[in-house]
């Protein structure tokens, strides 16, 4: 079996993620001793013996639905419904523009073309406003997108709300960046398991593991619990503009 939690895993959160996994592992006979952190996340997500991982809503609806089982969605400590999250749209603090519409034609920083929070949510915001952005800068991560804005390589970005919390706390960019607005809430990054696993048992075990965390770890992981979600919650979301022209690499965040 294999287990990986590639989303939100960074040096500052690694120990808390390890403690979450230890609680799950101790309740699941035969579970892997450690989380798999190396390698391509797509290899983890498509592994025939996947016990637990977390993906992004856009990869789930675009490529994984039908080949994995949906376990549930995290309940984050965010001002939105349980099992949902949103993106924070950011720009440089010295940019005089204050609304997303004013960035029509501007160059966005995008962590990955297959990111719900970094691209699909931003694209939906633009389409709702009747405009589009120019050719994006593909950065590889939300933190790299924030740095691209700060370094004037791009003008605007949508950052996963949990990732934005970490960027403000750990990356030292809060003074040079500003928040423009939030995107509408969508289902949070789904936990998944392989077709052969008992998804209900995985849900119950993971939910108990989250509740067993110390309060300090819950605060650090911005994690309050686990919510049941339906595949349709993800599948009904629109695919972002020009996705077919922007997916040269199978990665996401």
């Amino acid at each position: 079996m294999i287990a990986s939690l590639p989303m939100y895993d960074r040096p500052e959160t690694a120990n808390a993620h390890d403690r979450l996994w230890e609680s799950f592992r101790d309740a699941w006979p035969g579970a892997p001793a450690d989380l798999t952190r190396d390698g391509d996340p797509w290899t983890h997500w498509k592994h025939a013996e996947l016990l637990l991982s977390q993906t992004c809503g856009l990869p789930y609806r675009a490529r994984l639905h039908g080949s994995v089982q949906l376990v549930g969605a995290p309940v984050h400590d965010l001002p939105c419904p349980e099992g949902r999250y949103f993106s924070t749209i950011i720009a440089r603090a010295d940019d005089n523009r204050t609304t997303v519409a004013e960035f029509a034609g501007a160059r966005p920083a995008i962590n990955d073309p297959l990111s719900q929070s970094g691209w699909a949510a931003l694209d939906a915001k633009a389409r709702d406003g009747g405009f589009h952005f120019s050719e994006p800068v593909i950065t590889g991560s939300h933190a790299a997108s924030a740095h691209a804005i700060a370094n004037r390589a791009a003008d605007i970005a949508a950052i996963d709300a949990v990732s934005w919390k970490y960027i403000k706390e750990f990356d030292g960019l809060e003074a040079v960046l500003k928040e423009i607005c939030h995107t509408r809430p969508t289902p949070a990054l789904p936990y998944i398991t392989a077709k052969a696993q008992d998804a209900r048992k995985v849900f119950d075990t993971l939910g108990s593991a989250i509740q067993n965390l110390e309060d300090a770890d819950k605060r650090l992981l911005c994690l309050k619990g686990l919510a049941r979600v339906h595949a349709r919650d993800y599948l009904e979301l629109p695919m972002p503009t020009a996705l077919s022209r922007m997916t040269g690499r199978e990665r996401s965040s």
Side-chain angles (χ1 to χ4, degrees):
M1 286 188 286
I2 184 174
S4 68
L5 292 172
M7 303 302 171
Y8 306 130
D9 196 32
R10 50 184 292 159
E12 298 87 354
T13 64
N15 288 338
H17 276 138
D18 285 340
R19 287 187 285 270
L20 174 61
W21 175 246
E22 288 165 6
S23 181
F24 183 105
R25 178 199 66 200
D26 291 347
W28 194 289
D34 301 304
L35 290 170
T36 297
R37 286 185 161 95
D38 298 329
D40 182 357
W42 285 93
T43 302
H44 307 165
W45 297 335
K46 295 180 177 181
H47 199 289
E49 296 186 1
L50 175 68
L51 177 57
L52 177 66
S53 190
Q54 187 177 30
T55 184
C56 177
L58 184 49
Y60 173 75
R61 69 181 184 273
R63 299 183 184 178
L64 293 173
H65 172 64
S67 62
V68 299
Q69 293 188 85
L70 182 62
V71 173
V75 177
H76 290 300
D77 187 11
L78 296 172
C80 61
E82 290 192 352
R84 301 292 189 270
Y85 78 145
F86 55 84
S87 298
T88 301
I89 297 181
I90 64 167
R92 282 184 302 280
D94 62 2
D95 193 311
N96 292 328
R97 291 170 284 191
T98 59
T99 67
V100 177
E102 291 178 276
F103 286 85
R107 195 168 197 192
I110 295 173
N111 60 316
D112 193 281
L114 275 177
S115 172
Q116 172 62 35
S117 57
W119 174 230
L122 183 63
D123 178 64
K125 195 79 171 177
R127 285 194 283 177
D128 288 346
F131 65 92
H132 58 82
F133 299 107
S134 67
E135 189 68 18
V137 176
I138 309 298
T139 66
S141 72
H142 282 300
S145 292
H147 280 280
I149 302 298
N151 296 331
R152 302 181 183 275
D155 300 304
I156 191 170
I159 307 294
D160 173 306
V162 178
S163 297
W164 178 235
K165 169 185 179 290
Y166 295 143
I167 290 167
K168 290 190 294 181
E169 186 170 354
F170 301 125
D171 292 345
L173 296 177
E174 189 172 12
V176 297
L177 299 173
K178 66 179 179 181
E179 298 183 10
I180 301 295
C181 64
H182 295 162
T183 64
R184 61 177 177 265
T186 56
L189 279 63
Y191 294 109
I192 57 172
T193 190
K195 282 286 193 179
Q197 299 292 348
D198 184 339
R200 291 185 179 182
K201 182 179 176 183
V202 175
F203 178 96
D204 291 340
T205 307
L206 179 58
S208 295
I210 292 171
Q211 293 308 317
N212 289 338
L213 282 174
E214 298 290 338
D215 288 343
D217 282 342
K218 290 180 183 177
R219 286 192 296 270
L220 178 59
L221 298 179
C222 197
L223 190 57
K224 296 169 60 177
L226 184 64
R228 296 192 185 277
V229 288
H230 298 284
R232 64 175 179 271
D233 295 335
Y234 298 93
L235 300 178
E236 68 185 9
L237 296 173
M239 299 299 284
T241 299
L243 182 63
S244 62
R245 292 192 295 107
M246 300 174 59
T247 52
R249 295 181 302 146
E250 284 196 337
R251 267 189 74 172
S252 184
S253 296

